[in-house]
Amino acid sequence: MTGPGPHWPAFVRRAAEAAPAGEQTLVVHSNAGLLVPALAEAVPDVRRVVFVDAALPGAPLPAAHLAALRELTGPDGLLPPWTEWFDEATVAALLPDPRLRATVIAEQPRLPLTHFTRPPPAPPGWDRLPCGYLRFSAAYRPVAGEARARGWPVGSLAGGHLHQVVAPGAVAEWLVRVWG
């Protein structure tokens, strides 16, 4: 993906095309949380949303984070793969299994900086569906606090930002227990 964007409509379109028919629980991770209003509109069978270590729609990207991303952006306007934003030790801590880490590294896309500078809109009422929040990492503690302030069920599982990849059974168990 290159060019000025926005690029999020293509992500939403692909997700909507892949969604099975029938009632859906939308589970979003990280910056995919920003796509919830558009996803809920594009997939009419969405009945609830669970944010997992995820940003909430309309949340501004912290200025320091955006500045760091600008520094990483190549001349083609693309960021390096996500795991290259961090040192090897940090990535290894997030993905301790070497084979799993290699798989994740091989499958990650390069995103344009505009993915972060031109986010999808968050119209009023985007959270009309029942929502919940599952936090893994300390970095998302403030977002989980905002979810709690909205009256959503909030849980936490100790782990890194990619805990759903490292411990999928524990994450699935929580999701089923809370959202049935």
Side-chain angles (χ1 to χ4, degrees), residues 30-76:
S30 198
N31 281 323
L34 301 174
L35 301 175
V36 164
L39 286 166
E41 184 177 316
V43 183
D45 293 329
V46 170
R47 298 293 182 256
R48 64 190 72 78
V49 180
V50 182
F51 293 83
V52 179
D53 234 28
L56 300 182
L61 190 64
H65 190 87
L66 183 57
L69 292 177
R70 286 187 195 285
E71 288 291 320
L72 293 171
T73 303
D76 58 0

Side-chain angles (χ1 to χ4, degrees), residues 11-40:
F11 294 127
V12 169
R13 186 173 43 258
R14 282 187 280 186
E17 290 168 356
E23 186 174 301
Q24 305 290 315
T25 297
L26 182 59
V27 180
V28 293
H29 175 255
S30 198
N31 281 323
L34 301 174
L35 301 175
V36 164
L39 286 166

Side-chain angles (χ1 to χ4, degrees), residues 1-9 112 114-115 118:
M1 291 189 179
T2 58
H7 303 303
W8 61 264
T114 56
H115 178 75
R118 299 188 65 193

Side-chain angles (χ1 to χ4, degrees), residues 53-56 59-60 62 133-150 152 154-156:
D53 234 28
L56 300 182
Y133 200 93
L134 175 57
R135 181 184 62 79
F136 301 144
S137 63
Y140 283 85
R141 188 172 281 126
V143 186
E146 183 179 336
R148 187 174 286 110
R150 291 170 174 261
W152 300 352
V154 174
S156 64

Side-chain angles (χ1 to χ4, degrees), residues 153-172:
V154 174
S156 64
L157 292 173
H161 186 58
L162 299 176
H163 196 59
Q164 78 281 9
V165 176
V166 175
V171 174

Side-chain angles (χ1 to χ4, degrees), residues 85-140:
W85 301 3
F86 307 98
D87 61 55
E88 282 186 48
T90 300
V91 175
L94 287 170
L95 297 162
D97 179 286
R99 290 175 59 199
L100 179 60
R101 186 169 55 251
T103 299
V104 169
I105 288 170
E107 292 180 359
Q108 48 186 339
R110 291 186 65 204
L111 295 172
L113 179 64
T114 56
H115 178 75
F116 298 95
T117 60
R118 299 188 65 193
W126 67 262
D127 57 354
R128 72 189 181 292
L129 294 167
C131 295
Y133 200 93
L134 175 57
R135 181 184 62 79
F136 301 144
S137 63
Y140 283 85

